[in-house]
């Protein structure tokens, strides 16, 4: 129990009283909580240390939350924050990964989703360093982005997660993050994906 303004009970234990695995998918993590009559903690509860006493060594790690994505209400900070990001970082499971809107031009709802890695989506590659064929976006982004493959052509819009990842890594880049796409940092990447869902991290 954490009192004060939190007034919250928290735990990272499963129903057997053991620390739940640290590599759960979103739905497996949700099931751990709901199986005990609880729910995933919110971003705010974690940021306010309301779940800090939950045990299992996760205070310095990223964890699944129940907070939804309302990108229109989230203002990114210019300087790095010491609080958890409003946009969680996603690690793909054996079977699922994240897709997100390519820019604010996208009106798809929800704008972020967890989907099977065999699903077909486009790719956005990002790099903090200059790469030939990539387009630079300055300001708070300070990022190079591209949807082109190594041949300089638009990569297919129906790539699996690992095929999309390979397009980026083959050029010394990575998949853009949910936050970078939401902040239009990869909007100049070309290939008509600004209004589409793309693989992200």
């Amino acid at each position: 129990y954490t009192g004060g303004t939190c007034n919250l009970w928290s735990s990272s234990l499963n129903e057997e009283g053991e620390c739940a695995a640290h590599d759960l998918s979103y739905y497996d993590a949700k099931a751990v909580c709901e199986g005990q009559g609880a729910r995933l903690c919110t971003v705010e509860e974690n940021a306010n240390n309301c779940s800090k006493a939950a045990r299992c060594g996760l205070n310095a790690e990223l964890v699944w939350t129940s907070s939804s994505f309302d990108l229109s209400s989230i203002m990114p900070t210019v300087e790095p924050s010491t609080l958890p990001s409003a946009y969680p970082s996603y690690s793909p499971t054996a079977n699922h990964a994240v897709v997100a809107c390519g820019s604010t031009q996208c009106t798809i709802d929800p704008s972020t989703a967890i989907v099977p890695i065999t699903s077909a989506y486009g790719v956005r590659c990002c790099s903090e360093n200059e790469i030939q064929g990539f387009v630079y976006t300055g300001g708070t982004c300070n990022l190079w982005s591209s949807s082109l493959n190594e041949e300089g052509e638009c990569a297919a819009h129906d790539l699996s997660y690992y095929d999309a990842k390979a397009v980026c890594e083959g050029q010394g880049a990575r998949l853009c993050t949910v936050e970078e796409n939401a902040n239009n940092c990869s909007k100049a990447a070309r290939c008509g994906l600004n209004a589409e869902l793309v693989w992200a991290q």
Side-chain angles (χ1 to χ4, degrees), residues 21-30 33 40-43 46 61-67 69 88-93 98 114:
H22 288 201
D23 58 353
L24 297 176
S25 70
Y26 169 77
Y27 288 108
D28 286 342
K30 190 167 178 278
C33 298
L40 291 170
C41 301
T42 66
V43 170
N46 292 338
E61 305 294 330
L62 292 170
V63 295
W64 291 112
T65 76
S66 59
S67 297
F69 290 89
S89 293
Y90 293 88
S91 295
T93 66
V98 67
I114 304 294

Side-chain angles (χ1 to χ4, degrees), residues 8-74:
L8 199 74
W9 298 83
S10 63
S11 175
S12 290
L13 305 179
N14 57 25
E15 292 183 78
E16 288 72 45
E18 302 171 343
C19 284
H22 288 201
D23 58 353
L24 297 176
S25 70
Y26 169 77
Y27 288 108
D28 286 342
K30 190 167 178 278
V32 168
C33 298
E34 293 179 351
Q36 301 176 81
R39 57 168 172 76
L40 291 170
C41 301
T42 66
V43 170
E44 292 77 12
E45 288 164 348
N46 292 338
N48 292 331
N49 289 329
C50 294
S51 62
K52 189 175 182 179
R55 292 165 292 190
C56 300
L58 290 168
N59 285 329
E61 305 294 330
L62 292 170
V63 295
W64 291 112
T65 76
S66 59
S67 297
S68 60
F69 290 89
D70 181 7
L71 301 182
S72 63
S73 67
I74 298 171

